[in-house]
Amino acid sequence: MNKTDFIKKLSKELNFDLEKTNIVNDILENNFIIGKNNKEKMIKQLCDKLKINEKDANKIYDKAMEIVAKEIKNKIKNKFINK
């Protein structure tokens, strides 16, 4: 999945316009996605940039990570299936 596909999928899943989704994507790209401290940092940035509460920021983070994890799983699965 390329960046454009990720943004489209995230936009659809979150029911956000592309402008808001690009803000979310920029935050994700500017931070390493693994690690508790990084998650907290991204949650804070989401709250600040989108003017939302922590609960909503967590939902956005979780949805983005769900998409990323599913894509990684599919890539790994396809490597074994296509052998």
Side-chain angles (χ1 to χ4, degrees):
M1 173 180 289
N2 63 31
K3 180 179 175 176
T4 303
D5 291 339
F6 175 76
I7 290 171
K8 285 179 185 175
K9 184 165 181 113
L10 187 60
S11 177
K12 182 180 177 187
E13 294 280 330
L14 296 173
N15 200 23
F16 280 5
D17 61 27
L18 287 178
E19 184 180 341
K20 278 177 99 171
T21 309
N22 277 316
I23 292 170
V24 173
N25 186 63
D26 289 344
I27 291 169
L28 295 172
E29 283 185 341
N30 291 328
N31 293 282
F32 189 65
I33 61 173
I34 299 172
K36 182 177 169 131
N37 290 337
N38 293 332
K39 177 182 177 179
E40 291 170 1
K41 182 179 171 185
M42 284 187 271
I43 297 296
K44 182 175 180 347
Q45 289 177 3
L46 288 167
C47 290
D48 293 344
K49 296 269 186 177
L50 298 175
K51 308 293 187 230
I52 58 174
N53 63 38
E54 193 172 321
K55 183 179 176 184
D56 290 337
N58 264 300
K59 287 180 185 178
I60 293 167
Y61 175 86
D62 290 343
K63 184 54 73 178
M65 293 305 109
E66 180 183 310
I67 293 168
V68 169
K70 194 178 290 184
E71 187 62 25
I72 291 170
K73 179 182 167 188
N74 288 339
K75 284 187 184 272
I76 291 170
K77 192 164 94 175
N78 286 338
K79 286 205 183 265
F80 290 105
I81 291 172
N82 292 329
K83 283 193 171 193

